[in-house]
Amino acid sequence: DTAVSQTPKYLVTQMGNDKSIKCEQNLGHDTMYWYKQDSKKFLKIMFSYNNKELIINETVPNRFSPKSPDKAHLNLHINSLELGDSAVYFCASSPQGRGTEAFFGQGTRLTVV
Amino acid sequence: DQQVKQNSPSLSVQEGRISILNCDYTNSMFDYFLWYKKYPAEGPTFLISISSIKDKNEDGRFTVFLNKSAKHLSLHIVPSQPGDSAVYFCAASLPSGGATNKLIFGTGTLLAVQP
């Protein structure tokens, strides 16, 4: 019974393409996130949504656009993919409240060739 | 500028012994600290957290210690088990937009527990 699920798990695509990664959580959480883990293993926050409202938008190229159709879903759309976008992207969710832990999906490994 | 640092990329301990994973931070605005464990090809899973107003939190074999004056925290695992072998990430939480938690992660420490 998966709590935070991402699809696809692996994604290989050519430079210049547009791709989407989907995320769904069945935990009833109000807040969802996208994190990126790069080749140096740094895990950095990209976006955060609370009840479909954008809360955090880190310094991310505007080729990356998150979309939250409802509070259980947060999808990530990437336009004009570049080699440097290759990374593992993690979706996460957390309940309301400070200090509450985030629950992560299994990650999507994106490879741009 | 890495606000959360884990200076040991790897650690090897014998089964049954104590594992001590360390983490240093620079931002005094962090109000919660969390430890996550990650297996290959999986997402990080939450282990234990501590509020900045406390100096110790214990949960079974896992204990986290916080030294605010030194801006240092550590995770103790005792006794260590082979199933504990994984990458451990330290994370710190910044207040950001009401109830939203912005987690700043360290680069991780690979723990190997030898049978």
Side-chain angles (χ1 to χ4, degrees), chain B:
Chain B
D1 179 31
Q2 193 68 7
Q3 298 183 70
V4 178
K5 296 179 184 178
Q6 294 175 256
N7 292 318
S8 298
S10 63
L11 174 68
S12 182
V13 299
Q14 287 294 121
E15 181 178 5
R17 300 287 186 109
I18 185 171
S19 296
I20 300 177
L21 297 114
N22 293 303
C23 179
D24 297 295
Y25 62 95
T26 58
N27 192 336
S28 56
M29 297 297 293
F30 291 139
D31 60 351
Y32 282 92
F33 301 89
L34 305 91
W35 284 94
Y36 280 82
K37 174 179 175 180
K38 186 181 179 305
Y39 293 117
E42 292 185 13
T45 53
F46 171 74
L47 264 181
I48 191 170
S49 65
I50 188 168
S51 163
S52 60
I53 63 172
K54 296 189 174 182
D55 55 19
K56 178 182 174 182
N57 188 25
E58 190 173 351
D59 183 3
R61 297 186 297 113
F62 302 92
T63 303
V64 57
F65 294 93
L66 175 62
N67 182 334
K68 284 184 67 176
S69 61
K71 293 192 173 68
H72 177 85
L73 67 156
S74 60
L75 174 68
H76 292 209
I77 307 172
V78 56
S80 301
Q81 299 172 354
D84 296 329
S85 298
V87 176
Y88 288 78
F89 288 97
C90 169
S93 178
L94 270 176
S96 180
T100 301
N101 298 292
K102 176 178 174 178
L103 294 179
I104 310 295
F105 282 85
T107 48
T109 296
L110 174 63
L111 173 65
V113 180
Q114 311 295 335

Side-chain angles (χ1 to χ4, degrees), chain A residues 64-113:
Chain A
F64 290 78
S65 54
K67 289 207 170 33
S68 182
D70 55 62
K71 76 173 194 177
H73 295 84
L74 181 61
N75 304 321
L76 183 64
H77 189 76
I78 316 170
N79 288 329
S80 303
L81 278 154
E82 302 177 356
L83 292 176
D85 297 332
S86 296
V88 182
Y89 293 84
F90 289 99
C91 177
S93 71
S94 68
Q96 288 274 22
R98 296 291 305 130
T100 54
E101 69 268 23
F103 293 77
F104 284 79
Q106 83 276 22
T108 296
R109 180 173 292 277
L110 171 65
T111 304
V112 182
V113 296

